Amino acid sequence: MSDARSPKPATALPAARAELDAFLAARPEIEFFDVLFTSLSGVPRGKRLRRHELAGVYDYGRFLPGSVLVVDITGQDCESTGLVWEDGDADRVGKPVPGTLVPAPWLGADVAQVSLSLYELDGQPNDLDPRVVLQRVIDRFTKDGLTPVTACELEYYLVDARRAADGGLALAPSRFSGERPTLHQVYGLPEIEEAAPFLRDLWAACDAQGVPLEGAISEYAPGQIELTLKHKADALRAADDAVMYKRAAKGVALTHGCEATFMAKPFGDRAGSGFHVHVSFNDAASQNACASEDPQGSELLRHAIGGMRALLADSMAIFAPNANSWRRFKANSYAPVAPTWGVNNRTVSFRVPAGPPSTRHVEHRVAGADANPYLTLAAVLAAAHYGITNKMDPGPAVSGDGYAAAAQSGEGFAVNWFAAVDRFAASEVLKDYLGERFVKMFAEVKRTEQARFFDVVTELDYAWYLRNA
């Protein structure tokens, strides 16, 4: 998969090259650069380059095999996509994303990184690049004079980098006592103090990268934390921030002898980890079009929620993209189980938080922390635009126990990973918003992952069936 060829310098971007030149002048100590592309599975992949190689990336781009667009979460080819052998595994060209050339201090004082977006060789954006998929949806809002304002919240666990004796996960031990946490201690300050060295380095890394990471809380399980990224009137950059933040959290954690895992459900008996997306919409005057004295928000906000409800089942393959994702959805777990909405209510899928009228927005609480940030925002915003365009009524808001309301109504999600992918693949609305080829290819990748996942015979198979079957 060599990319040592030298194309003609026809695609150089003066502004981008100026960004590089300024960075190199200000950072003479940086010798190595990770160039990263985030494909459908949400895993950043790329190369580490030396300083003298980076000018070519900015002037001409960097060739990457087209198959990287459609590898599964383990990095294996998905041959059924037609982008491996039939395509000759032909190159596409990666070009730097403006504003993402930043230091990566957890990797050493001499390492930086830059994100790439993938293009065809004729210069057209590749329609399977998750950034391009998200931009496609944002463009629909721009055409209508609206700007999505988004913020991302990610929950995750800090676990011991070493596996337990039985091969399972163990929570990271206390730096003071060496004991592992056992109590929930939601919003506990001693738990944040335990994590202070990790958090201090994480905040410093995100500050160095321009990622607007805000406060931390101890979440609803031992060893689980949540940090919020500041809202932005630039949904594409908000997704870039989320991808960069996840990479930083994982890298910084390793320097502290632990791992940050964004698995949706790493422990069967503890809370899952969600990816909550906060969304509002600015009008042409940069005013919040969701603002209202009514706690339920403006008519536009309610229409957006109506669209989120209508397209939730179609979108679950993106919000719950992996086999493990589906373990998270349990009643009375703070993970939603139905297309419900309400005001100041954490038992529903779509929550309008309390706050001043000018801050009205919706918190979309369905996705797991394992979901691809670009595709999650694309699906959330596509549903909102669909609801706004079609003036969709979300129905009455749920008051009180959203789990009980869901049980009474009989509403729910797609029943499992397989059903979710099938429904996603058949969604004409998502084909329109996200692109027909993208929907087809995403479904092919997930079906390949499903087959590979269920090819593995696990210890649980032996425990349950070896003697009992």
Side-chain angles (χ1 to χ4, degrees):
M1 294 186 177
S2 173
D3 61 1
R5 288 157 285 183
S6 298
K8 296 179 181 179
T11 57
L13 300 175
R17 182 54 192 269
E19 179 181 343
L20 170 64
D21 291 343
F23 183 90
L24 294 178
R27 300 276 185 171
E29 75 281 8
I30 302 291
E31 291 290 343
F32 306 103
F33 295 83
D34 288 353
V35 293
L36 313 170
F37 170 71
T38 303
S39 59
L40 302 188
S41 66
V43 179
R45 303 183 187 278
K47 304 184 177 191
R48 177 162 293 189
L49 304 180
R50 299 187 67 187
R51 185 182 179 96
H52 67 269
E53 296 180 272
L54 209 61
V57 177
Y58 275 78
D59 287 345
Y60 323 123
R62 190 75 176 186
F63 285 116
L64 293 173
S67 58
V68 77
L69 286 156
V70 289
V71 293
D72 71 7
I73 199 164
T74 72
Q76 295 185 78
D77 287 335
C78 293
E79 297 177 10
S80 62
T81 62
L83 290 179
V84 186
W85 312 125
E86 295 92 329
D87 186 56
D89 202 8
D91 279 336
R92 273 69 177 179
V93 62
K95 297 181 182 180
V97 174
T100 64
L101 177 58
V102 291
W106 67 91
L107 296 173
D110 57 352
V111 183
Q113 69 180 44
V114 62
S115 299
L116 303 179
S117 201
L118 239 57
Y119 294 77
E120 300 295 341
L121 299 188
D122 63 3
Q124 292 298 311
N126 187 285
D127 60 351
L128 301 182
D129 181 341
R131 294 188 85 256
V132 174
V133 175
L134 175 54
Q135 185 63 61
R136 177 185 175 119
V137 178
I138 295 169
D139 289 344
R140 303 280 278 261
F141 284 96
T142 302
K143 184 178 178 181
D144 293 343
L146 292 171
T147 300
V149 179
T150 58
C152 301
E153 287 179 351
L154 285 156
E155 300 166 336
Y156 54 100
Y157 282 87
L158 293 176
V159 300
D160 198 323
R162 298 164 297 180
R163 296 292 173 260
D166 62 358
L169 284 182
L171 293 174
S174 166
R175 63 193 175 103
F176 298 116
S177 68
E179 299 295 321
R180 304 184 193 279
T182 58
L183 303 179
H184 283 64
Q185 298 297 7
V186 65
Y187 282 82
L189 289 175
E191 285 63 38
I192 293 300
E193 292 162 10
E194 285 273 11
F198 162 75
L199 291 171
R200 188 176 290 113
D201 287 351
L202 178 59
W203 277 314
C206 287
D207 286 350
Q209 295 194 334
V211 173
L213 188 61
E214 299 201 305
I217 63 167
S218 174
E219 258 295 344
Y220 194 66
Q224 189 185 41
I225 60 175
E226 178 187 77
L227 290 91
T228 302
L229 294 163
K230 186 174 175 59
H231 67 275
K232 282 189 172 180
D234 182 345
L236 193 58
R237 180 63 204 202
D240 289 334
D241 288 343
V243 169
M244 293 166 68
Y245 163 52
K246 287 182 72 172
R247 184 169 196 255
K250 292 177 180 182
V252 171
L254 287 173
T255 69
H256 288 268
C258 58
E259 289 191 80
T261 178
F262 291 84
M263 281 181 67
K265 190 74 169 177
F267 301 100
D269 59 348
R270 295 170 184 165
S273 293
F275 175 8
H276 302 157
V277 181
H278 294 254
V279 184
S280 61
F281 308 96
N282 282 353
D283 59 22
S286 298
Q287 299 300 306
N288 182 8
C290 301
S292 174
E293 294 290 339
D294 185 340
Q296 295 190 3
S298 68
E299 185 177 53
L300 181 138
L301 179 59
R302 291 194 292 275
H303 289 158
I305 295 170
M308 291 175 183
R309 295 191 72 233
L311 286 187
L312 181 56
D314 288 20
S315 306
M316 285 303 296
I318 285 178
F319 300 145
N322 305 309
N324 177 261
S325 308
W326 292 85
R327 300 184 186 278
R328 175 172 159 261
F329 300 113
K330 294 183 178 181
N332 305 314
S333 68
Y334 290 106
V337 296
T340 49
W341 79 285
V343 177
N344 194 20
N345 189 336
R346 286 184 170 83
T347 68
V348 297
S349 290
F350 315 115
R351 177 177 78 112
V352 180
S358 62
T359 68
R360 294 279 181 260
H361 68 281
V362 60
E363 178 192 22
H364 192 293
R365 297 173 53 81
V366 179
D370 56 340
N372 184 322
Y374 297 112
L375 301 183
T376 298
L377 264 65
V380 168
L381 294 178
H385 187 273
Y386 180 68
I388 292 168
T389 301
N390 293 284
K391 301 188 183 321
M392 302 190 78
D393 182 357
V398 170
S399 178
D401 188 348
Y403 296 111
Q408 286 182 339
S409 69
E411 290 185 301
F413 299 151
V415 293
N416 57 50
W417 192 22
F418 289 84
V421 172
D422 288 345
R423 178 147 183 170
F424 174 81
S427 175
E428 296 300 325
V429 177
L430 291 183
K431 289 176 186 177
D432 177 41
Y433 275 93
L434 308 182
E436 186 169 359
R437 191 169 85 112
F438 166 78
V439 168
K440 178 181 178 181
M441 292 298 183
F442 185 88
E444 285 296 325
V445 170
K446 289 295 135 185
R447 285 168 175 155
T448 300
E449 286 186 4
Q450 289 168 346
R452 288 171 176 164
F453 186 87
F454 281 95
D455 275 346
V456 178
V457 179
T458 69
E459 290 295 325
L460 188 61
D461 286 82
Y462 297 132
W464 283 27
Y465 307 121
L466 181 65
R467 293 180 176 176
N468 297 326

